[in-house]
């Protein structure tokens, strides 16, 4: 199984599905008895869906992806994803007499061969390939960051990965690469992370965007289209898309899939035709709320262009952040599985709660929940005590926020509502606390409705 899927039901069995599986939304108890039992949503398309249903509970989730194989490991064979998460980027340590990853904080490096160094810099300027031999300068690359890039590429199943100072820096670099080729037009599907939406809409980097439903991607392509951008599951509605069908509709235009919510534990978009896989590594890859970073997993040709943009613009990742990210990857499958189990149980309880109008939880599973209230969402934000009201997601602790006020406030109100981000929607990033403690806090914050 290449992609895990969880549709939370009455039984405690794991349910495997695919991206094409129609997802549904629950609207209190009535929807659980109707649409959530399997009736198709009117908003579905052949490319994907606009939400997902929740019914019942499961005590074990996403078992498949955690044990999924990663082909072509550095050891010459096939290793499980959980094993790769621990060892990728570290395979040479034992031979060096090391166990922990060294942190190289150098900004510059000595070179007594100035002709050779000049040649390596010229080679980098030509194709962006990582310079052979010793490092040159921190803006060209860093050995500690390179370890993280190697590991993330292994987990996503791509040739390369290029890390940046933030997720927005990573997306900006992709747009600049395509703009430099005269391909300024972007086709995008809402919802996206609010700042991604704003970056495209505002044209800050000279890009022009056409917003479409998934079924309209092929018709929206133009000779100057340089990119198709989607996010699945989407922020914040958790809408899921059929990435394989979308990649087919893109033709020769690169598909960029934002995989921040799912992580390579739950899906690997490159296996479904995405040429570029974007992560806000600040979230699950780091996993502890103490590092900011972005990364693009891709083929080596595109990686070379991204390195050139990173060198020119200076959006480099600090070595300490690279170290923390590599350390975070080693526990990524365990964290995603545990948080997903908590999220599935909370989603089940919310779906049965009369104070909740609708719950969005992806078939893919995962640790993110979105739910719409009958009452005032701001009162819930003000009333939580164990759960932290804060932006961001993917940490070991549980966070809650009101997207219309915070992460997606920058998006035009009509566009926001049209893409499913209602004013009563709350987004919950479920952490590793005991689920009973989380429910006690959430139940109390919901009040009497």
């Amino acid at each position: 199984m290449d992609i895990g899927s969880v549709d939370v039901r009455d039984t405690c069995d794991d349910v495997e599905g695919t991206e094409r599986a129609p997802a549904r939304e629950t609207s209190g108890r009535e929807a659980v008895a109707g649409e959530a039992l399997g009736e198709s949503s009117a908003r579905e398309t052949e490319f994907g869906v606009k939400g997902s249903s929740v019914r019942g509970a499961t005590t074990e989730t996403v078992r498949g992806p955690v044990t999924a194989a990663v082909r072509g490991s550095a050891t010459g064979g096939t290793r499980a994803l959980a094993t790769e998460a621990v060892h990728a980027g570290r395979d040479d340590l034992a031979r060096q007499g090391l166990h922990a990853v060294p942190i190289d904080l150098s900004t510059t490096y000595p070179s007594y061969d100035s002709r050779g160094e000049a040649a390596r810099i010229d080679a980098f300027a030509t194709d962006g390939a990582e310079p052979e031999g010793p490092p040159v300068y921190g803006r060209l690359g860093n050995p500690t960051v390179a370890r993280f890039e190697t590991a993330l590429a292994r987990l996503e199943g791509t040739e390369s990965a290029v890390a940046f100072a933030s997720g927005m820096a990573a997306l900006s670099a992709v747009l600049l690469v395509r703009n430099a080729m005269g391909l300024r037009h972007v086709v995008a599907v809402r919802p996206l992370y609010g700042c991604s939406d704003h970056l495209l809409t505002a044209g800050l980097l000279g890009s022009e965007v056409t917003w479409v439903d998934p079924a309209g991607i092929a018709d929206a392509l133009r000779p100057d289209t340089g990119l198709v951008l989607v996010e699945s599951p989407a922020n914040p509605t958790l809408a899921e898309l059929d990435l394989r069908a979308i990649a087919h509709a893109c033709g020769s235009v690169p598909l960029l899939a934002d995989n921040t919510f799912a992580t390579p534990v739950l899906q690997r978009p490159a296996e479904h035709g995405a040429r570029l896989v974007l992560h806000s590594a600040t979230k699950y890859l780091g996993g502890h709320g103490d590092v900011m970073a972005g990364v693009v997993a891709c083929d080596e040709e595109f990686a070379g262009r991204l390195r050139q943009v990173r060198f020119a613009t200076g959006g480099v990742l600090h070595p300490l952040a690279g170290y923390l990210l590599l350390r975070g990857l080693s526990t990524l499958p365990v964290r995603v599985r545990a948080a997903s189990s908590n999220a599935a149980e909370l989603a089940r309880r919310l779906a049965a709660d009369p104070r909740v109008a609708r719950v969005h939880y992806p078939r893919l599973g995962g640790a993110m929940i979105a739910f719409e209230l009958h009452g005032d969402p701001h009162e819930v934000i003000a009333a939580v005590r164990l759960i932290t009201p804060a932006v961001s997601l993917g940490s070991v602790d549980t966070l809650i926020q009101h997207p219309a006020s915070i992460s997606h406030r920058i998006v035009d109100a009509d566009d926001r509502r049209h893409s499913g981000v209602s004013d009563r929607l709350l987004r919950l990033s479920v952490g590793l606390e005991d689920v009973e403690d989380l429910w006690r806090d959430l139940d109390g914050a919901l009040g009497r409705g």
Side-chain angles (χ1 to χ4, degrees):
M1 182 179 70
D2 56 3
I3 290 184
S5 178
V6 178
D7 187 11
V8 187
R9 299 182 184 275
D10 284 341
T11 69
C12 291
D13 298 329
D14 291 343
V15 179
E16 297 180 4
T18 68
E19 287 181 314
R20 291 179 185 271
R24 300 164 297 276
E25 300 171 347
T26 68
S27 180
R29 293 173 178 173
E30 294 77 10
V32 170
E35 187 180 1
L37 287 174
E39 298 173 8
S40 298
S41 168
R43 292 196 296 169
E44 291 171 17
T45 74
E46 63 179 311
F47 292 92
V49 297
K50 293 293 184 181
S52 182
S53 67
V54 178
R55 186 173 190 269
T58 178
T59 56
E60 293 185 18
T61 61
V62 297
R63 180 180 301 152
V66 174
T67 58
V70 177
R71 295 184 178 86
S73 72
T75 59
T78 299
R79 302 196 296 206
L81 185 141
T83 302
E84 198 68 60
V86 172
H87 290 279
R90 304 170 179 85
D91 290 306
D92 64 324
L93 293 182
R95 294 191 299 274
Q96 297 184 48
L98 299 173
H99 186 236
V101 172
I103 307 176
D104 188 333
L105 295 173
S106 298
T107 57
T108 191
Y109 299 87
S111 175
Y112 294 95
D113 180 6
S114 57
R115 292 187 181 88
E117 186 171 52
R120 291 192 295 131
I121 294 174
D122 287 346
F124 176 85
T126 300
D127 58 14
E130 294 182 285
E132 296 182 1
V136 177
Y137 184 57
R139 202 149 37 87
L140 272 79
N142 172 271
T144 307
V145 172
R147 289 181 179 276
F148 163 67
E149 293 172 330
T150 296
L152 194 278
R154 294 285 307 118
L155 293 182
E156 284 290 3
T158 59
E159 289 180 335
S160 302
V162 183
F164 295 84
S166 69
M168 291 307 301
L171 176 58
S172 296
V174 172
L175 295 174
L176 288 173
V177 166
R178 302 306 280 169
N179 288 356
M181 301 173 68
L183 302 171
R184 297 181 177 273
H185 181 239
V186 177
V187 175
V189 176
R190 280 183 170 128
L192 296 173
Y193 169 53
C195 287
S196 298
D197 188 311
H198 176 69
L199 180 65
L200 294 173
T201 304
L204 295 174
L205 298 180
S207 298
E208 177 188 349
V209 62
T210 299
W211 297 101
V212 297
D213 290 328
I217 289 175
D219 291 338
L221 299 179
R222 308 186 325 206
D224 64 338
T225 302
L227 192 70
V228 174
L229 175 58
V230 301
E231 183 175 1
S232 181
N235 186 352
T237 65
L238 303 177
E240 295 174 277
L241 302 174
D242 186 334
L243 296 179
R244 191 179 301 277
I246 288 177
H248 178 74
C250 291
S252 61
V253 177
L255 169 63
L256 185 153
D258 188 327
N259 202 32
T260 298
F261 276 21
T263 82
V265 176
L266 296 180
Q267 73 177 2
R268 291 184 287 279
E271 295 179 354
H272 299 273
R275 185 178 176 189
L276 307 165
V277 182
L278 174 71
H279 286 272
S280 173
T282 307
K283 279 67 173 185
Y284 289 103
L285 302 189
H288 293 76
D290 56 8
V291 60
M292 183 170 288
V295 64
V296 179
C298 56
D299 57 61
E300 175 55 27
E301 179 185 355
F302 206 100
R305 295 182 179 275
L306 288 174
R307 293 188 198 105
Q308 290 177 317
V309 169
R310 183 177 64 182
F311 174 73
T313 61
V316 296
L317 184 66
H318 192 275
L320 181 57
Y323 168 83
L324 291 173
L325 288 167
L326 186 60
R327 188 174 70 168
L329 289 185
S330 63
T331 61
L332 179 65
V334 176
R335 288 187 285 105
V336 168
R337 182 171 182 171
S340 297
S341 180
N342 279 348
E345 173 61 15
L346 291 178
R348 182 191 70 83
R349 297 187 189 191
L350 288 167
D353 196 307
R355 297 167 295 185
V356 177
R358 179 171 295 170
V359 172
H360 307 263
Y361 185 70
R363 287 180 174 272
L364 201 63
M368 299 298 300
I369 305 172
F371 59 100
E372 299 174 49
L373 302 176
H374 291 298
D376 186 349
H378 298 286
E379 293 182 0
V380 176
I381 293 288
V384 292
R385 293 297 178 263
L386 175 65
I387 297 169
T388 302
V391 299
S392 199
L393 56 108
S395 186
V396 291
D397 61 320
T398 300
L399 308 177
I400 192 169
Q401 68 121 315
H402 182 240
S405 296
I406 308 296
S407 63
H408 288 70
R409 186 173 184 81
I410 201 169
V411 179
D412 177 79
D414 289 338
D415 292 334
R416 190 170 63 229
R417 286 189 285 269
H418 181 73
S419 61
V421 186
S422 77
D423 291 340
R424 294 186 182 273
L425 183 77
L426 289 173
R427 192 191 73 185
L428 190 68
S429 170
V430 182
L432 304 181
E433 303 95 337
D434 186 277
V435 70
E436 296 300 333
D437 290 329
L438 290 173
W439 176 248
R440 188 178 301 112
D441 190 41
L442 196 56
D443 182 43
L446 288 170
R448 294 184 178 181

